[in-house]
Amino acid sequence: MSHLLADPTVAFVVGGSTDGRDRVRGAVPDAIETVAVANRDDLTERLSARNDVGCIVAVGVDEAGFADVVEAARAVSDHLPVVVSADDEAVAAAVAGRADCRYLPRSAADETLAAVVDDAVATFRERRRAAADSGILRTLLEQGQLTMFAKDEEGRYVRMADVPYTPDPEEFIGKTDPEVFDHGSGSDQAAYEDDLQVAETGEPIRRQVEHFETQGGDHWSEVTKLPWRDEDGRVIGVVGYALDVSERMQLKRRLEEQQRRFDEFASYVSHDLRTPLQISVGALEQAREGHEEAFDRIERANERIEEILGDLSALSKGDRSVDLSEEVLDVLDVGVSSTELAPLVEQVWSVHGTDDATLEVAVPEGTEVIAETESVRPLVENLLKNALDHAGPDVTVRVGTTDRGFYVEDDGPGIPAAEREQVLEAGYTTTEDGTGTGLAIVAETVDQQGWEVDIRESEIGDGPGARFEFTECPVVVPNPVEPVEPAELTGSVDVGDVSVAGSATPGASDGSWRVVGNGRDIWHDIDEFHFAYGELDGPVRIEGRLDELEAVHEYSKAGLMVRDTLADDAAFAFVGATGDHGTETMWRHETGAAAGSDQLEEPYDAYLWYRLDAVDGTVTLSWSTDGEDWQPIDQRRIDLSDPVVVGLAVCSHSADETSEAVFEDVSVTELVTLD
């Protein structure tokens, strides 16, 4: 806005006689330039050509003339002041009813006129600067997509920017961070305490990295908080901004993880190359001595070396067409690890259980915890040992599953409510010879895995008992089904407010699809993507191979989805691939809730096949290297009602560009559950 570069130091003098205008011009202070304007048309033309006018002085005008001057002034600014010098009571009344207008009788002294004009110009200058500052701030808050905020001295929001993935700004007003957010990790309370600290001490906090957890995973913000001062310099609150540095922190984590995997892989290559080389060298000596069977061993060793070199070549080129050996996938830690829960519990009990104690395993056969056995075993072992140590020799211990986790409970004396947080701390023990490390290991495992633990009274026995319940823990309970009827994808639609229309085209080969999609994201309260779909009553399965993904963003995505409806806030589950973050699972448990996601970050595109089973509101997500052997990677309860909508989803994660995906061997099947 060019007027911000011009100081408003000009007063236009309009109306009246030449002598009347000259008198006013002579009275105005020298710091204010005056320009005589003959009539309203001339005033309008001159106002539109200049940015430095700070006041209009109307001389000897009647009501109609005053109204014309005000109309011309308001066409330039709502606050451009009008000073009227006249002897007309009707004009005086009209001026009194207008904002930023002042009336002086023509008999007023020149000094009075000069003071009024000077004050009017000074006031306009400050109001114009304040309005510009306010407009700049309002634009940043509403359109800048930068997390900016202002809070009072008690840490309550008074202003909040409108940014994606956060509640509506109006929902923040009058609330503190713990009242707005519910990350469950203590980060909200810590941020609130920082607000109070800045407001109390007047000392800023700059570029502090804050970590918080949501259902979409770990996030980090770099936050700056400054003391907000009034005109007298008193601190009245906090103003600040936050930058999302999640990508930077996740990259740091990935680099550390890749370094670990590289070290393991280097060890693997060194070991596996050394072994066939040793065989070959040894067999070569035997061959020289005339043992012809040694040539067979040399040939097999060389073939093994060629296999290893082939794996290395595929890895270096990112060749998706080569099936890596299981040994390479294992050492690279590609995929997810799982632990069958019931056999692990029974094996641990066989070592630590007693003849008088009873174990009840209320776990469906084949139930898996999606975590490494090395992580789950110490947790189970310490909980069972804790029950045996504290609940008496004839204790009954039960292990079972919940909607999103599992539990271990006993019929012993229980744990008083006041001590339930303490028991998970390192060093806490109730016995003289105890080390206090057992349940601390449980807490450490929960923290490492990103689970949650709740200690409460048991549901077995007559006494209070102790129940350790683990939630936000991916547990997959088998749901035996049988395919009964194939189905088809019959529709194609853009879900949400996309900028570029998408498309879905079946290919020449059976079960192939080319899907093009736009959309900012599928996460939190945003659902924008293209969807090739079919509607049918559950249970239902969709599976297929993602052959190509033309990603325009690191979080561009393509995969399989089941939804309650086609509405952009419907409950859904998704499994598929991203541009740079490997496989992604996503979910919205119920209509209108915030959607969450997990990225598995596998370092190689080993799992090109995906499957989604929706059975009685439970959705199981699986992947495979070959479309035959399937490994579940997550299972969640999703609020679905018949008919469900199932199909192929593509989101570019860009407002302006589209991503294209090619799916092969896509099949949709109605299922029947088996008893």
Side-chain angles (χ1 to χ4, degrees):
M1 298 174 66
S2 59
H3 75 264
L4 294 179
L5 302 178
D7 192 21
T9 57
V10 176
F12 279 178
V13 182
V14 62
S17 64
T18 301
D19 291 342
R21 292 194 296 271
D22 288 344
R23 179 223 168 205
V24 170
R25 296 180 66 188
V28 172
D30 293 339
I32 299 175
E33 178 187 352
T34 58
V35 176
V37 181
N39 53 55
R40 188 275 177 78
D41 291 339
D42 192 19
L43 173 66
T44 301
E45 182 178 348
R46 291 195 177 204
L47 281 173
S48 64
R50 304 189 63 155
N51 295 315
D52 55 358
V53 178
C55 179
I56 298 174
V57 181
V59 180
V61 294
D62 57 15
E63 279 190 85
F66 168 66
D68 287 343
V69 172
V70 171
E71 182 179 349
R74 294 299 168 261
V76 175
S77 168
D78 288 339
H79 305 296
L80 181 63
V82 176
V83 175
V84 178
S85 176
D87 288 322
D88 189 323
E89 292 184 0
V91 172
V95 171
R98 293 276 193 163
D100 299 304
C101 294
R102 310 183 188 192
Y103 179 84
L104 284 175
R106 299 183 68 175
S107 60
D110 288 354
E111 293 81 2
T112 302
L113 176 62
V116 169
V117 172
D118 187 56
D119 182 67
V121 171
T123 300
F124 177 62
R125 181 186 295 115
E126 291 303 317
R127 291 192 66 173
R128 191 170 73 167
R129 182 181 296 115
D133 291 345
S134 178
I136 292 169
L137 179 60
R138 184 169 58 254
T139 300
L140 284 172
L141 288 173
E142 295 177 356
Q143 304 176 34
Q145 296 192 353
L146 174 66
T147 303
M148 303 173 61
F149 54 84
K151 304 176 183 179
D152 66 13
E153 69 278 5
E154 296 182 20
R156 297 174 297 196
Y157 283 92
V158 296
R159 291 288 187 275
M160 178 61 183
D162 187 6
V163 294
Y165 313 123
T166 62
D168 187 278
E170 293 300 319
E171 296 184 26
F172 286 85
I173 305 304
K175 300 177 182 177
T176 63
D177 276 347
E179 293 171 329
V180 174
F181 302 104
D182 184 19
H183 294 139
S185 61
S187 57
D188 311 323
Q189 183 65 28
Y192 169 63
E193 292 173 359
D194 286 343
D195 295 337
L196 299 182
Q197 175 186 324
V198 173
E200 181 178 346
T201 66
E203 295 294 327
I205 294 175
R206 300 181 185 274
R207 303 184 65 182
Q208 175 174 279
V209 175
E210 297 179 352
H211 170 244
F212 56 94
E213 300 172 358
T214 71
Q215 59 181 332
D218 289 338
H219 294 271
W220 290 263
S221 288
E222 187 177 82
V223 182
T224 293
K225 297 180 177 181
L226 308 172
W228 175 17
R229 301 180 185 275
D230 63 13
E231 295 179 352
D232 297 324
R234 294 174 299 186
V235 177
I236 59 173
V238 177
V239 294
Y241 60 91
L243 303 176
D244 187 349
V245 294
S246 298
E247 290 186 15
R248 186 180 80 194
M249 300 302 292
Q250 289 166 351
L251 176 60
K252 179 181 178 182
R253 281 188 169 185
R254 289 200 299 272
L255 289 175
E256 292 172 348
E257 179 63 16
Q258 288 172 3
Q259 179 64 48
R260 181 188 68 80
R261 289 171 175 166
F262 177 81
D263 292 342
E264 290 183 359
F265 187 68
S267 175
Y268 157 76
V269 172
S270 174
H271 176 272
D272 270 39
L273 278 177
R274 185 184 300 114
T275 300
L277 281 173
Q278 289 173 339
I279 293 173
S280 184
V281 170
L284 182 60
E285 292 296 326
Q286 292 179 338
R288 286 172 176 168
E289 295 173 359
H291 299 284
E292 292 195 8
E293 68 275 8
F295 288 106
D296 293 334
R297 294 201 300 275
I298 293 174
E299 184 177 4
R300 288 194 297 270
N302 288 342
E303 288 175 352
R304 178 60 184 141
I305 291 173
E306 287 182 5
E307 289 177 2
I308 295 172
L309 293 177
D311 287 344
L312 288 173
S313 177
L315 280 172
S316 65
K317 297 176 182 178
D319 187 351
R320 297 164 62 106
S321 65
V322 176
D323 291 333
L324 295 180
S325 65
E326 290 298 326
E327 293 91 340
V328 171
L329 294 179
D330 287 343
V331 79
L332 284 176
D333 196 21
V334 175
V336 297
S337 299
S338 62
T339 301
E340 195 167 349
L341 185 57
L344 174 65
V345 171
E346 290 166 352
Q347 194 275 329
V348 171
W349 186 264
S350 69
V351 176
H352 300 285
T354 64
D355 293 339
D356 295 329
T358 302
L359 173 67
E360 297 179 0
V361 182
V363 176
E365 183 179 354
T367 298
E368 294 181 312
V369 179
I370 307 301
E372 295 179 346
T373 302
E374 291 76 8
S375 297
V376 181
R377 180 188 297 276
L379 180 146
V380 170
E381 189 171 41
N382 279 281
L383 287 174
L384 295 182
K385 288 172 63 179
N386 184 73
L388 291 165
D389 290 343
H390 297 282
D394 58 349
V395 62
T396 295
V397 181
R398 177 190 291 165
V399 180
T401 58
T402 63
D403 178 35
R404 184 67 180 163
F406 66 98
Y407 64 86
V408 179
E409 63 182 349
D410 61 57
D411 62 352
I415 302 172
E419 299 178 18
R420 290 174 184 170
E421 290 188 11
Q422 293 176 271
V423 299
L424 297 175
E425 297 175 359
Y428 180 87
T429 181
T430 58
T431 62
E432 294 183 0
D433 57 350
T435 63
T437 60
L439 293 182
I441 292 175
V442 172
E444 182 180 351
T445 301
V446 167
D447 183 62
Q448 290 176 348
Q449 297 296 324
W451 303 345
E452 295 179 5
V453 58
D454 183 31
I455 304 176
R456 58 179 68 181
E457 290 187 3
S458 172
E459 297 180 6
I460 61 174
D462 297 329
R467 178 182 172 107
F468 291 79
E469 191 166 303
F470 302 92
T471 57
E472 292 310 310
C473 166
V475 170
V476 176
V477 179
N479 203 339
V481 293
E482 181 178 285
V484 291
E485 188 72 29
E488 295 183 354
L489 305 182
T490 57
S492 172
V493 66
D494 285 313
V495 175
D497 188 18
V498 302
S499 301
V500 183
S503 64
T505 309
S509 63
D510 187 34
S512 66
W513 283 84
R514 185 176 298 274
V515 183
V516 178
N518 176 240
R520 291 175 298 157
D521 204 353
I522 308 174
W523 191 71
H524 205 265
D525 60 349
I526 299 177
D527 272 28
E528 295 181 5
F529 60 97
H530 194 74
F531 196 32
Y533 69 93
E535 288 188 347
L536 62 159
D537 292 340
V540 62
R541 167 182 294 167
I542 180 171
E543 66 180 51
R545 178 168 58 90
L546 180 58
D547 188 59
E548 297 177 21
L549 171 58
E550 183 184 295
V552 297
H553 187 276
E554 61 182 315
Y555 284 104
S556 298
K557 61 200 68 182
L560 316 179
M561 177 181 284
V562 62
R563 300 180 68 84
D564 187 45
T565 68
L566 292 175
D568 60 5
D569 64 346
F572 76 87
F574 168 96
V575 60
T578 61
D580 293 335
H581 297 277
T583 293
E584 182 171 41
T585 61
M586 297 188 295
W587 60 89
R588 178 179 288 122
H589 292 116
E590 60 185 9
T591 296
S597 66
D598 280 332
Q599 296 81 39
L600 301 188
E601 304 284 359
E602 69 266 28
Y604 183 80
D605 296 331
Y607 296 89
L608 304 179
W609 287 80
Y610 296 106
R611 171 185 284 180
L612 183 155
D613 284 0
V615 180
D616 299 330
T618 296
V619 178
T620 304
L621 309 176
S622 307
W623 64 10
S624 172
T625 59
D626 55 13
E628 295 182 4
D629 296 323
W630 292 91
Q631 179 187 6
I633 55 179
D634 203 356
Q635 186 178 78
R636 292 179 182 269
R637 293 287 300 175
I638 306 294
D639 188 9
L640 302 173
S641 58
D642 288 335
V644 298
V645 190
V646 63
L648 311 173
V650 174
C651 172
S652 64
H653 205 285
S654 167
D656 305 316
E657 300 177 273
T658 60
S659 284
E660 182 175 301
V662 176
F663 297 87
E664 299 287 350
D665 303 304
V666 176
S667 65
V668 181
T669 313
E670 294 182 14
L671 306 173
V672 62
T673 57
L674 303 177
D675 294 334

